[in-house]
Amino acid sequence: MTFSTLGLTDSLLRAVRESGYTKATPIQERAIPVILSGKDVMAAAQTGTGKTAGFTLPLLQLLGGKTNTKADTVRALVLTPTRELAAQIKASIDTYGTHENLRCGVVFGGVNINPQKRILRRGLDILVATPGRLLDLYQQKSVRFDDIEILILDEADRMLDMGFIRDIRKILALLPKQRQNLMFSATFSNDIRQLAKTICRNPIEIDVSPRNSTVEAISQKLFHVEKADKANLLSQLLRADTDQTLVFTRTKHGANNLTKRLNRDGISSAAIHGNKSQAQRTKALEGFKQNKVQVLVATDIAARGIDINQLATVVNFDLPHVPEDYIHRIGRTGRAGARGLAISLVSSEERKQLRDIERLIKRSIERGDTEVFDLSKPGREQSTHDSGNNVRPAQNTVDSRQPNRRRRKSRVNTGKRHSNGNTWRSSPSDIAANG
Ligand code: AMP
């Protein structure tokens, strides 16, 4: 569906055109008219579905026509769990609001609070905020909520996961009762429904959770590999394919270690997780977006909401404990009809998690066999023999560097090798077969 039938004003349609979008995504198609009608919305939609434009466009329209100049007040509040998401939402509002005369500001922790106070002092139409910093600003009397007309809770499930529930409740208690509420969450668990009941009034429920469509658009493979061999295997996979790759690890510590190892192996990598400073995260993300960094290693929470278009490959270095997170992770690739590849490295300790994931996605993930890579060779040493990006199939030779070491041969065939070149990406027929 084109945007022109959704009830948006000409200036917003112009901004949409300038962004290069021709068709509205399902969440945009369904949410925009409902939000414009003034109703509360509870939407199940995750990052990558176009949800940000789905709430930003109608929000700009509802607020349009007047500019707020009342000091320390805001007319719409967007609450979001992470700094990255906050910055991205602000950037979207700036993009779509380029022809509107509205003021938007963003506040999050980890940076100097004073410039944020100065921005609020001018009065804002839209404030994008993480909960903790917003409460700090409130306590320091730098923001008042009396003029709030619209509340948006983005990534509500993550907010609960990250322990923001008390902050959210405190903020809710400070807001005017009469307001429009929009709640977005990747999933609608019982906890989220409970929270929604205390926030929304007769909300219109919209569910575009891309569960099956996403899974089907993505070629998925897994390799059974022992924990100790995972980094080596990954190194070899990444050398075979220099596509930009998002790698998920379960822990921050794991993300750091893996990043170090990949960099040592000559694969430019950066970690992004909660213990990194804002400056480090921004640098890592920028480096990745500008293609200076091939691999971004992230924990689930940090990766959530990172806005990267056309991500070719996602790797689950560790399987997630919550099976739904598998879908969230792999949903970072194969966006907007583009083909994607998701690779999982599964150790013997992770078999239960794998079973849960396969039960959830209602299919068995294709197993890569162990025929191409030689895990007895440390990835780093191999790089001195490799000329470049191609991983060569291991030869059946004795490893002369380690004559006494029993050769542990684990060869991996990712299925990416095709007659058209040294690639381990699946062919379209693989996808059809999988889908
Ligand atoms: P989001 O789900 O809001 O994180 O958006 C994911 C990505 O989709 C962002 O990079 C948007 O710029 C992009 N996007 C949003 N709406 C559309 C659309 N209608 N057509 C194509 N891309 C879009």
Side-chain angles (χ1 to χ4, degrees), residues 3 21 23-25 28 46-52 307 309 335:
F3 280 92
Y21 307 155
K23 277 173 61 190
T25 65
Q28 292 162 357
Q46 66 178 67
T47 299
T49 55
K51 71 180 162 75
T52 315
D307 179 16
N309 283 328
R335 286 182 174 187

Side-chain angles (χ1 to χ4, degrees), residues 38 52 62 68 156 158 184 247 263 303 321 334 345 356 365 367 370 397 409 423:
T52 315
L62 289 169
N68 184 23
R158 279 291 138 169
F184 288 79
V247 177
N263 280 320
H321 276 301
L345 309 185
D356 292 346
I365 301 170
R367 270 63 173 165
T370 52
T397 52
K409 217 177 203 180
T423 170

Side-chain angles (χ1 to χ4, degrees), residues 133 144 151 160 203 365 379 383 420:
R133 176 54 61 97
R144 285 184 287 133
L151 169 72
L160 295 194
I365 301 170
S383 72
N420 60 348

Side-chain angles (χ1 to χ4, degrees), residues 57-73:
L57 288 164
L59 176 67
L60 289 162
Q61 182 156 330
L62 289 169
L63 296 172
K66 56 178 176 178
T67 308
N68 184 23
T69 52
K70 217 162 118 188
D72 301 328
T73 65

